[in-house]
Amino acid sequence: MIAITGATGHLGQLTIHALLDLGTPAAEIVALVRDPQKAADLSARGVQVRQADYTRPETLGPALQGVDKLLLISSNDVADRATPQRNVVNAAREAGVKLLTYTSILHADTAEMRLAADHQATEADIRASGVPFVFLRNSWYLENYDVAQAAQFGALPGSAGEGKVSAASRADYAAAAAAVLTLPNQENTIYELGGDQAFTLGELAAEVQAASGRPVTYQNMDETAYAEMLRGFGVPAPLADKLADADTHLAKGELFTGSGDLRRLIGRPTTPMKQWVKDTLQG
Ligand SMILES: NC(=O)c1ccc[n+]([C@@H]2O[C@H](COP(=O)([O-])OP(=O)(O)OC[C@H]3O[C@@H](n4cnc5c(N)ncnc54)[C@H](OP(=O)(O)O)[C@@H]3O)[C@@H](O)[C@H]2O)c1
């Protein structure tokens, strides 16, 4: 039995579809969701839906009954992910889960960006639990970049300078997660995952210009100005500050990898940024 948390989220949905595409029987997949009402489509496909809320430990034991392999998708509550995720790690240990796979961040052992702190805490909790693990250390999603808005306003803002990011599509990260959940001998493995071709945000802006036929430039600013701009767009202050901080660390190489782990796991080249921009703008 393979269980996926965050199954009503973007990555969770894609991972379940990737598992089904790999031939995993729907009855052997457990979708762990905060709100089962949001998972009617998964039930209709024969996937078992169980309620599991990271912040409510009493839901986690029953949800993990009979589960052999668990994918813990990191929470989207950036104020504190570590505490609720610790509940899931504890429940996995108590339920006898045989493989705990966690979506972490690239180079979690050395990353200094503030967004990495929760991932580092959860990786430490998982190691301490003694449950065999896989860390899927993901670089950025391509989907983090609002290329439609950049095409509309002619500007892609950021504070990453000339730093290169190994961003990859969510679908590619999901395919990698599904592969790990179905391959043998994955215990205590760490994957550093990113797209085959890293790029600067200037190069991304140039592709948006080429695909949209409208002038688009990368608008680099310092970290403080970028955080202020994000807040002005309605991003909550703590998240805005962490995103601007992440760009500063992107510039130092924290979101770059040349490992090739993602392409090896999915068995094909990763989706090129240029192709993703074109497909996204064509809607
Ligand atoms: N590498 C990157 O570039 C990048 C970018 C953005 C996010 N991330 C991280 O990757 C994760 C997955 O990405 P995504 O795009 O799939 O995010 P998403 O669509 O926001 O999905 C996050 C999922 O986590 C679930 N969740 C949050 N708190 C929970 C709780 N207390 N108990 C149970 N489930 C909870 C949400 O449940 P509901 O469906 O009920 O809301 C949702 O299904 C994010 O949560 C975030 O940690 C990474």
Side-chain angles (χ1 to χ4, degrees), residues 178-283:
V180 159
L181 291 165
T182 49
L183 285 167
N185 305 322
Q186 293 298 301
E187 290 77 10
N188 305 332
T189 307
I190 297 175
Y191 293 103
E192 303 285 353
L193 300 174
D196 291 341
Q197 299 288 328
F199 54 86
T200 65
L201 297 191
E203 289 165 344
L204 175 59
E207 289 301 342
V208 177
Q209 172 166 309
S212 66
R214 306 167 74 145
V216 181
T217 52
Y218 173 51
Q219 196 182 336
N220 195 54
M221 48 192 95
D222 69 29
E223 184 184 321
T224 310
Y226 183 43
E228 258 170 43
M229 194 212 75
L230 289 171
R231 280 186 236 129
F233 285 158
V235 178
L239 178 58
D241 292 350
K242 283 183 179 175
L243 291 175
D245 167 78
D247 254 16
T248 298
H249 290 276
L250 186 163
K252 296 175 181 168
E254 288 190 18
L255 291 168
F256 171 84
T257 179
S259 73
D261 283 356
L262 183 52
R263 92 181 270 147
R264 272 191 297 279
L265 269 179
I266 64 179
R268 57 170 169 77
T270 61
T271 306
M273 174 269 278
K274 181 179 178 152
Q275 185 63 44
W276 176 83
V277 168
K278 232 169 113 184
D279 293 348
T280 304
L281 289 178
Q282 281 169 3

Side-chain angles (χ1 to χ4, degrees), residues 6 8-11 34 38 52-55 73-76 81 139-141 144 170:
T8 44
H10 293 95
L11 189 67
R34 212 164 20 179
K38 283 167 66 182
D53 185 331
Y54 307 162
T55 63
I73 290 185
S74 52
S75 160
N76 53 8
R81 293 185 271 205
S139 178
W140 258 196
Y141 300 157
N144 291 350
R170 269 203 200 92

